[in-house]
Amino acid sequence: MTATNEFGHLDTPLEASSSPALKFEVYARCSTTKARASKMHLPHYTAHTPMFMPVGTMGSIKGITTKQLEALDCHVILGNTYHLGSRPGPELLEKAGGLHKFMAWDRGLLTDSGGFQMVSLLKLANITEEGVEFENPHDGQKMMLTPEMSIGLQNAIGADIMMQLDDVVSSLTTGPRVEEAMWRSVRWLDRSIKAHKRPTEQNLFPIVQGGLDIELRTKSAQELVKRDSPGYAIGGLSGGEAKGSFWRMVSLSTDILPTNKPRYCMGVGYAEDLVVCSALGVDMYDCVFPTRTARFGNALVRTGSMSLKQGRYTSDLEPIDKDCDCPTCAKYTRAYLHTTATKETTGCHLITVHNIAFQMRLMLDIRQAIVEDRYPAFIREFMRIRFGKTVPMWIVDALKSVNVDLTVPDSSGYSAEPVADDFQKAPNTWTDE
């Protein structure tokens, strides 16, 4: 799988920006939605967007080698500063020449700042203006993470893209704490910029916060744009909030952030979210979902998620997806994967390979549809296969905001009926035959 020639006939970017360690070029825009297809030139690799970044928290993706990731055409993978700072630690990483060399990966790397642990490990954290004090889960020792320390760790890690330390609050939080966290994140960004020692080799992305408050999120985005960063992230979402609120905050953010710079929506990985958020103008995504769900025996397909643990696959000699060209689908049957899923590491490995391949193929298909200016038709076909006749209301509303109305029949006669469910409850089995 390779995306080498997907921009072959497009010689001149429509819009571009250039920073010391990042050049971003928009080569195609959807004429209906806010979607765009771009090249992001990083110190280690030129990534094509919209793109999905698999998560390798401690510098590795469970059961997958970097050679396999390269063969699956992953452009950028993500590591976590908090975990990497605890183990193997900055001293060893600096001695090894950075995380790229340590893990034998010569493509793009992005490191999260450790701020998300404020939510996921809140019972172990104490948040002050200075920073965040954690209890190290490896040895129980107290660990203070300040904006300066986060940047210092990330400079040692050497990722192409670093994230500022932000004051993360749950997306379900309301009241004064949300505004406090938003303004503190802006102050921490300024401290992070000052502490950044390798601006010609690494890019620092700020993170839009503000919870689900329109005014706060607007102000946050406006403040960050003043700093003229190489790219921007949309944070504080995908934390259990209603999807109707989620997409509105994403769209609000992309309306304010510069059109000539990359926009990264953090923690997003469900296929329908990738399709919708790309229509809303997002370029980059990450999520543990595709690899984590593989370890529970779940394979991703266009109709939803296939639970290979179920007895129905005991004697099924078909591949996960006959249209998938990944190594797993080329050689292994559902019956074999049913036998090994969740019981043997082999099964977890093989499903993980397929799930990463699924994400990479989906993003390639999204980019090609944008380049060929047929993204609205791609969206409709994706939703028809994914959901059938009943599509979650939030998706219908989000797409309608960018001029794609699923409730109006297309040339094939397909139209969707909105339903209140935020998520798909079971793989689609509807057919229009």
Side-chain angles (χ1 to χ4, degrees):
M1 297 172 60
T2 177
T4 303
N5 298 317
E6 62 189 83
F7 294 96
H9 68 287
L10 300 174
D11 300 322
T12 306
L14 303 174
E15 193 172 20
S17 63
S18 186
S19 302
L22 188 154
K23 184 178 181 181
F24 187 70
E25 299 173 315
V26 179
Y27 277 89
R29 288 195 192 96
C30 174
S31 59
T32 302
T33 71
K34 294 192 283 184
R36 69 262 191 89
S38 311
K39 291 182 181 180
M40 183 168 61
H41 303 273
L42 298 168
H44 289 87
Y45 196 69
T46 295
H48 293 178
T49 71
M51 70 169 174
F52 177 81
M53 302 176 288
V55 177
T57 301
M58 299 186 70
S60 67
I61 294 173
K62 289 182 175 65
I64 304 293
T65 68
T66 52
K67 281 296 181 184
Q68 287 175 305
L69 290 171
E70 190 173 323
L72 294 170
D73 201 35
C74 294
H75 293 191
V76 180
I77 59 177
L78 186 143
N80 183 269
T81 299
Y82 168 68
H83 292 287
L84 290 167
S86 300
R87 192 175 59 185
E91 295 81 8
L92 181 57
L93 286 171
E94 282 190 303
K95 188 176 180 180
L99 184 57
H100 281 92
K101 291 184 178 179
F102 188 69
M103 64 183 292
W105 173 251
D106 58 8
R107 295 192 175 190
L109 273 174
L110 181 150
T111 43
D112 192 3
S113 66
F116 177 72
Q117 276 64 39
M118 293 185 204
V119 173
S120 61
L121 301 177
L122 192 57
K123 62 180 178 8
L124 306 177
N126 179 38
I127 304 165
T128 67
E129 187 65 25
E130 181 184 2
V132 189
E133 187 178 51
F134 290 98
E135 182 180 299
N136 190 321
H138 302 299
D139 58 18
Q141 297 296 310
K142 294 292 184 180
M143 174 183 173
M144 171 62 76
L145 187 64
T146 66
E148 293 80 7
M149 289 181 64
S150 176
I151 293 300
L153 288 169
Q154 293 185 82
N155 281 157
I157 292 167
D160 300 80
I161 299 173
M162 312 184 302
M163 305 308 300
Q164 73 154 112
L165 182 67
D166 54 340
D167 186 354
V168 181
V169 296
S170 167
S171 58
L172 303 179
T173 300
T174 58
R177 177 70 181 102
V178 180
E179 182 172 9
E180 175 192 51
M182 187 275 285
W183 285 113
R184 179 174 288 148
S185 294
V186 174
R187 294 191 295 272
W188 283 3
L189 170 61
D190 290 334
R191 288 167 59 184
S192 298
I193 293 171
K194 187 175 181 180
H196 186 12
K197 303 301 183 186
R198 301 176 63 186
T200 62
E201 302 166 275
Q202 296 176 273
N203 300 282
L204 174 59
F205 280 23
I207 304 173
V208 178
Q209 290 290 349
L212 305 180
D213 187 296
I214 293 174
E215 290 186 12
L216 291 179
R217 191 161 285 271
T218 298
K219 190 63 178 176
S220 174
Q222 291 171 341
E223 285 293 322
L224 301 192
V225 170
K226 294 177 184 177
R227 274 70 178 175
D228 192 26
S229 299
Y232 299 87
I234 301 167
L237 300 173
S238 298
E241 73 278 1
K243 299 294 278 190
S245 298
F246 162 79
W247 79 259
R248 287 179 172 84
M249 294 302 102
V250 171
S251 192
L252 170 68
S253 301
T254 60
D255 280 344
I256 298 169
L257 296 174
T259 58
N260 65 340
K261 303 216 175 155
R263 305 151 173 169
Y264 162 33
C265 195
M266 307 177 76
V268 170
Y270 294 142
E272 57 267 32
D273 292 9
L274 300 175
V275 172
V276 171
C277 288
S278 293
L280 299 178
V282 175
D283 306 296
M284 304 164 59
Y285 310 92
D286 82 283
C287 190
V288 298
F289 167 70
T291 48
R292 178 176 290 170
T293 199
R295 298 194 291 274
F296 290 92
N298 299 313
L300 304 181
V301 292
R302 285 292 172 100
T303 55
S305 182
M306 180 183 293
S307 178
L308 291 165
K309 296 181 296 182
Q310 294 181 359
R312 71 175 76 177
Y313 301 113
T314 303
S315 303
D316 191 336
L317 298 180
E318 292 293 316
I320 294 172
D321 181 352
K322 62 182 177 58
D323 296 321
C324 178
D325 61 359
C326 80
T328 300
C329 289
K331 296 182 179 180
Y332 298 94
T333 65
R334 297 172 181 176
Y336 176 76
L337 296 169
H338 167 78
T339 302
T340 59
T342 73
K343 304 179 187 72
E344 304 287 344
T345 56
T346 301
C348 296
H349 165 83
L350 291 172
I351 301 171
T352 298
V353 167
H354 167 78
N355 284 0
I356 293 175
F358 174 87
Q359 298 289 97
M360 297 304 110
R361 172 58 63 184
L362 174 62
M363 301 316 297
L364 176 59
D365 289 347
I366 288 172
R367 292 193 298 269
Q368 289 180 333
I370 296 168
V371 167
E372 296 168 9
D373 201 15
R374 53 177 179 81
Y375 195 51
F378 172 86
I379 293 171
R380 296 182 72 95
E381 179 64 6
F382 174 89
M383 296 302 171
R384 183 189 70 80
I385 294 172
R386 188 77 167 179
F387 296 104
K389 292 289 290 181
T390 56
V391 176
M393 175 73 77
W394 77 269
I395 292 177
V396 174
D397 289 343
L399 293 174
K400 193 177 291 186
S401 77
V402 286
N403 309 306
V404 178
D405 192 345
L406 296 181
T407 66
V408 175
D410 60 17
S411 58
S412 71
Y414 171 74
S415 63
E417 176 187 343
V419 293
D421 299 320
D422 274 358
F423 299 98
Q424 185 182 42
K425 293 182 177 179
N428 176 37
T429 58
W430 176 81
T431 177
D432 56 359
E433 294 179 355

